[in-house]
Amino acid sequence: MDVDGLKAIASAVCVLAGTAIGYYAGYMTRDSMEVIEDVSPAPEKRLPGGGLKLERALQSAPEAQELPAAPVQPGTVVERRARVVAAPRANKSAGGDGEPTGPAGGVEDCPPVTVDLALIREGEGRRVLAWSPDGRILGGLDVPIIEGIVPASQPWAAGVSYDPFDGTPGAWVERDYGRIRVGVDVYQERNALASGLAVRVRAGWRW
């Protein structure tokens, strides 16, 4: 086997070994740093004081499909949706006891009110969005208690390369478009057929 053949085999071995080591290291690091949130279905639970721990359903569940889409702007990520149905209480000052008395637990002539909620991600922060099919939202308050970790958007990458067999340098730049990654390599080519700068365009799938 000639020298060029040995170089090709050595290059392929280095690429395969580097890919395997990088994949294994990334997989082990990911498992040690990330904990997957439990989003399995769970029943509702009435709490002392009148609060209700909402039922949790999978996104594919029929009751989840009935929820309306959140009215968000393009580029906004919807992380969670919720719906609350509340029955107004009777006014104590008007002679009532403060307990729901009408249909479905509401005040007479005042039907239950539905409020839809969504946890959305905009830029580097999360916000709570509220709207109602039964009227206009007059106000609300969102109070972050624990700062969450929001994945940073870093679509660009660049670096240098080096061919240890020919001793030639190069440079590359990449950009992600969703799960599609495109890039350009500029490197010095030095072999029996050609010598000078060469350009290679590449595209791939990110996961």
Side-chain angles (χ1 to χ4, degrees):
M1 184 177 294
D2 57 10
V3 176
D4 292 337
L6 291 175
K7 288 183 178 181
I9 294 176
S11 299
V13 170
C14 290
V15 170
L16 292 176
T19 302
I21 294 173
Y23 179 82
Y24 178 77
Y27 181 81
M28 296 301 293
T29 304
R30 182 196 64 179
D31 288 349
S32 63
M33 297 180 61
E34 295 182 357
V35 177
I36 304 301
E37 179 185 2
D38 180 13
V39 294
S40 59
E44 66 178 31
K45 182 179 181 181
R46 181 68 60 179
L47 302 177
L52 180 67
K53 184 182 294 186
L54 301 182
E55 175 187 359
R56 186 171 61 201
L58 297 177
Q59 187 175 359
S60 57
E63 55 269 30
Q65 296 296 323
E66 294 177 359
L67 295 180
V72 297
Q73 298 179 350
T76 301
V77 179
V78 179
E79 296 188 350
R80 219 174 188 104
R81 292 186 300 168
R83 165 167 284 186
V84 176
V85 180
R89 292 184 180 276
N91 191 345
K92 290 184 178 181
S93 62
D97 58 5
E99 295 298 326
T101 58
V107 179
E108 295 291 348
D109 300 327
C110 186
V113 176
T114 298
V115 177
D116 290 302
L117 302 168
L119 178 63
I120 62 176
R121 188 168 75 231
E122 292 181 329
E124 298 181 354
R126 291 183 173 93
R127 301 295 300 272
V128 176
L129 180 65
W131 70 101
S132 174
D134 298 325
R136 182 169 61 93
I137 300 295
L138 300 180
L141 182 64
D142 169 25
V143 182
I145 305 300
I146 299 177
E147 296 181 358
I149 299 177
V150 179
S153 177
Q154 298 176 334
W156 287 96
V160 296
S161 59
Y162 179 75
D163 188 339
F165 299 102
D166 293 333
T168 54
W172 55 269
V173 61
E174 292 180 343
R175 193 186 195 285
D176 294 337
Y177 294 92
R179 290 194 174 274
I180 299 177
R181 175 171 296 179
V182 296
V184 176
D185 293 272
V186 179
Y187 56 96
Q188 185 178 3
E189 193 172 45
R190 185 187 302 160
N191 52 51
L193 299 178
S195 180
L197 291 179
V199 177
R200 185 185 299 272
V201 179
R202 49 195 165 102
W205 184 259
R206 183 176 61 87
W207 71 91

